[in-house]
Amino acid sequence: MIYNSPRGTEDYFGEEIKYRNFLIEVSKRLFDLFNYSEIITPHFEHTEVFSRGIGENSEIVNKEMYTFFDKKNRSLTLRPEGTASVVRAVIENKLYSENLPLKLFYIGNMFRYERPQKGRMREFCQIGVEAIGSNSPSIDTEVIWLLYDLFEKLGFKNLVLYVNSIGCSRCRNDYINMLEEQLLPVKGDLCEDCISRLGKNTLRIFDCKVKTCREVLKNVAKISDNLCESCQKHFIEIKSLLDTIGIKYVHNKNLVRGFDYYTRTIFEIISSDIDSAQNALGGGGRYDNLIKEFGGPEISSIGFAIGLERTILLMKELGIRIPASCKPENKTYIINMDTAYDKYIFEILKFLRDSGIYCDINFNIRNVGKEIKFAQNNDYKNVIIIGEDEYEKKNIIIKKLLSYSQEEFSWISDKEKILNFLKKME
Ligand code: AMP
């Protein structure tokens, strides 16, 4: 019997792991530079954390949560996103009493019962940040800047950064009433999904990809044209700060996002090189009421999340390679031609690894030609073949795989020279 992994999940190994580690490394370096520190929260929470946090009417809570009852009949849910958990953790551990804003990042798997397709899975990894405890437009700008910088550092070229403001609960409610009034007479032109969104989750109609709905939306009022004075000022200030640091953005008046907790600023980053519904690499927004709703103090926050698998998928499609500098330059492969030489080989292996040389050996004896091919295909720069002659004389011949030059050393007296030659780039 052969088992398959559950639909919408994947195993990761080989090249994929290198991409994942590269992305995580680049992100962590950048978070460090911007002074964000890591937080790790559980993979499951009490269901209410998400149903209240994300919103009962949102698609995630309605259709996509992995909810189960434990042996004591408690309702638990595998986290579908990171923000609600981080907010719960910040309040529970009273982290808000420290210097604000509290600048946090997380890296972890999320679970959503979605229809799997390319770039959309049921278990996926998100890298996200949350800046908690500031309502200054400068923190919005920093978070947006961080998101943009991350993709630039990864090597993406044609990035489009969408920003929009969906107002505070006050001006948004007034706007939604107006929007509903405008949509009711043309209800018949909307798709079934949008008809059911009307009145419950009206703003999400802007997310609809159906052509007739998009036509209807062209003629309705947009939220960013109907902000109260203070929300308007906040949004203008962010745009002006983004201009100051030279981050190019597009004010997308149709941008809305899937979580109910967002207020004011929302943003998304897409790659214009890819024409697909799954071209959103990441996004986020401000949440001014969530912490209070969760029983915490009245402090406002902002965050974003990017999808790891989707980013890697696009990196591969766009031909963005992991830079060579991330691969060890001195990778050395020792080819053992007979198990009788194991002790000699292990002496060499121990010395080289202790000296910081990335090396490996063939644990199964195979044809030398095949071993050299293997080394060439796996980024090895040096090869050391240990056959009868080398074993008897306690010698080492190092071959450089790029230049084909080679040199012979005595294992007994040339250890320093061996290290220097292995590290030599040629
Ligand atoms: P969201 O939390 O919905 O704002 O999504 C933020 C980012 O997470 C998206 O831009 C995607 O890159 C990624 N993402 C969201 N849902 C999925 C999914 N089902 N599968 C893979 N990546 C996802």
Side-chain angles (χ1 to χ4, degrees):
M1 176 76 182
I2 294 176
Y3 296 105
N4 295 327
S5 77
R7 199 162 127 77
T9 68
E10 258 180 51
D11 304 307
Y12 301 106
F13 43 82
E15 190 69 5
E16 187 72 21
I17 293 290
K18 290 186 188 160
Y19 270 95
R20 291 174 84 90
N21 288 344
F22 169 66
L23 217 145
I24 289 170
E25 255 172 56
V26 171
S27 313
K28 283 190 167 172
R29 231 179 293 140
L30 203 61
F31 296 152
D32 210 26
L33 196 71
F34 278 65
N35 198 25
Y36 284 69
S37 53
E38 187 163 11
I39 183 162
I40 299 175
T41 63
H43 282 82
F44 57 88
E45 298 273 351
H46 293 292
T47 301
E48 231 185 305
V49 169
F50 303 117
S51 54
R52 274 197 63 195
I54 302 169
E56 299 280 4
N57 284 327
S58 65
E59 254 138 73
I60 292 185
V61 172
N62 262 329
K63 300 190 202 148
E64 297 171 1
M65 294 213 300
Y66 275 93
T67 297
F68 59 96
F69 290 91
D70 72 0
K71 290 188 196 303
K72 292 232 164 113
N73 226 22
R74 283 173 290 228
S75 177
L76 300 169
T77 294
L78 296 183
R79 62 182 181 193
E81 59 98 53
T83 304
S85 309
V86 170
V87 165
R88 195 268 311 137
V90 165
I91 296 170
E92 185 174 340
N93 297 290
K94 294 201 169 49
L95 300 181
Y96 50 80
S97 52
E98 290 172 19
N99 221 4
L100 294 178
L102 182 64
K103 303 207 290 185
L104 301 170
F105 77 87
Y106 59 83
I107 297 172
N109 286 13
M110 307 295 159
F111 306 84
R112 293 184 196 170
Y113 194 86
E114 293 197 81
R115 199 165 54 80
Q117 51 182 286
K118 201 169 143 209
R120 190 191 286 164
M121 300 154 69
R122 291 184 171 167
E123 180 178 13
F124 57 98
C125 180
Q126 281 190 338
I127 301 178
V129 312
E130 309 293 347
I132 291 174
S134 171
N135 57 14
S136 162
S138 58
I139 195 77
D140 300 49
T141 311
E142 181 182 88
V143 168
I144 295 171
W145 168 17
L146 182 51
L147 175 70
Y148 193 87
D149 234 27
L150 181 52
F151 285 102
E152 273 213 320
K153 293 265 173 337
L154 290 171
F156 282 85
K157 290 277 180 295
N158 298 316
L159 296 168
V160 183
L161 174 67
Y162 288 133
V163 295
N164 195 18
S165 174
I166 51 168
C168 59
S169 42
R170 207 163 34 88
C171 58
R172 188 171 10 165
N173 281 345
D174 291 346
Y175 164 76
I176 287 175
N177 287 338
M178 175 166 77
L179 180 65
E180 285 169 357
E181 267 172 35
Q182 291 183 358
L183 285 175
L184 270 176
V186 286
K187 193 173 160 182
D189 296 335
L190 297 175
C191 72
E192 248 175 63
D193 277 347
C194 285
I195 292 174
S196 67
R197 285 176 186 137
L198 196 59
K200 270 201 286 178
N201 201 4
T202 313
L203 215 51
R204 280 296 272 189
I205 295 178
F206 278 100
D207 238 1
C208 187
K209 303 279 184 290
V210 177
K211 222 173 159 191
T212 48
C213 296
R214 302 217 68 81
E215 281 303 311
V216 170
L217 291 172
K218 276 187 189 162
N219 304 315
V220 299
K222 305 294 182 308
I223 179 126
S224 57
D225 297 326
N226 291 279
L227 300 173
C228 63
E229 210 182 313
S230 124
C231 287
Q232 214 174 354
K233 216 171 133 228
H234 188 92
F235 192 41
I236 289 171
E237 184 64 23
I238 294 167
K239 289 189 285 182
S240 133
L241 282 174
L242 286 173
D243 289 338
T244 305
I245 53 172
I247 303 235
K248 291 206 168 51
Y249 57 84
V250 175
H251 175 193
N252 179 353
K253 292 187 178 186
N254 286 338
L255 183 66
V256 289
R257 304 217 3 104
F259 308 107
D260 284 3
Y261 51 66
Y262 284 136
T263 49
R264 291 189 162 177
T265 324
I266 54 168
F267 51 96
E268 200 162 84
I269 193 157
I270 68 158
S271 163
S272 61
D273 285 323
I274 302 283
D275 185 22
S276 131
Q278 265 64 255
N279 64 356
L281 297 164
R286 170 168 278 286
Y287 45 100
D288 288 337
N289 307 317
L290 188 60
I291 299 190
K292 187 160 177 267
E293 271 168 33
F294 270 29
E298 211 166 338
I299 50 175
S300 43
S301 308
I302 180 160
F304 72 70
I306 73 158
L308 188 91
E309 292 80 8
R310 198 178 291 182
T311 303
I312 292 172
L313 200 75
L314 289 193
M315 282 174 80
K316 288 181 178 168
E317 281 188 27
L318 298 174
I320 302 176
R321 311 277 313 155
I322 303 175
S325 59
C326 286
K327 293 178 181 163
E329 283 306 327
N330 52 25
K331 257 180 97 172
T332 299
Y333 194 57
I334 307 174
I335 303 174
N336 183 3
M337 292 180 63
D338 194 310
T339 48
Y341 317 142
D342 275 1
K343 270 195 172 166
Y344 180 41
I345 301 263
F346 262 68
E347 258 179 56
I348 301 170
L349 195 60
K350 176 81 169 66
F351 170 73
L352 294 185
R353 284 182 174 162
D354 284 351
S355 310
I357 303 286
Y358 291 78
C359 56
D360 206 355
I361 59 169
N362 56 317
F363 287 90
N364 297 321
I365 308 300
R366 287 195 305 185
N367 168 289
V368 180
K370 273 190 184 157
E371 293 295 356
I372 292 180
K373 264 222 170 74
F374 168 82
Q376 280 166 331
N377 291 338
N378 285 278
D379 295 323
Y380 284 96
K381 301 289 184 288
N382 307 300
V383 157
I384 298 173
I385 302 174
I386 304 291
E388 192 179 353
D389 205 39
E390 290 79 13
Y391 176 70
E392 293 298 337
K393 291 187 190 153
K394 291 282 175 284
N395 270 1
I396 279 184
I397 297 171
I398 302 174
K399 284 182 197 296
K400 290 275 173 197
L401 283 181
L402 285 180
S403 62
Y404 292 108
S405 67
Q406 70 173 53
E407 259 182 55
E408 189 168 346
F409 301 92
S410 153
W411 169 242
I412 310 297
S413 54
D414 288 340
K415 292 207 172 60
E416 274 313 302
K417 285 188 193 154
I418 290 171
L419 287 182
N420 288 336
F421 190 70
L422 286 174
K423 287 177 186 165
K424 220 162 103 180
M425 301 229 279
E426 56 174 75

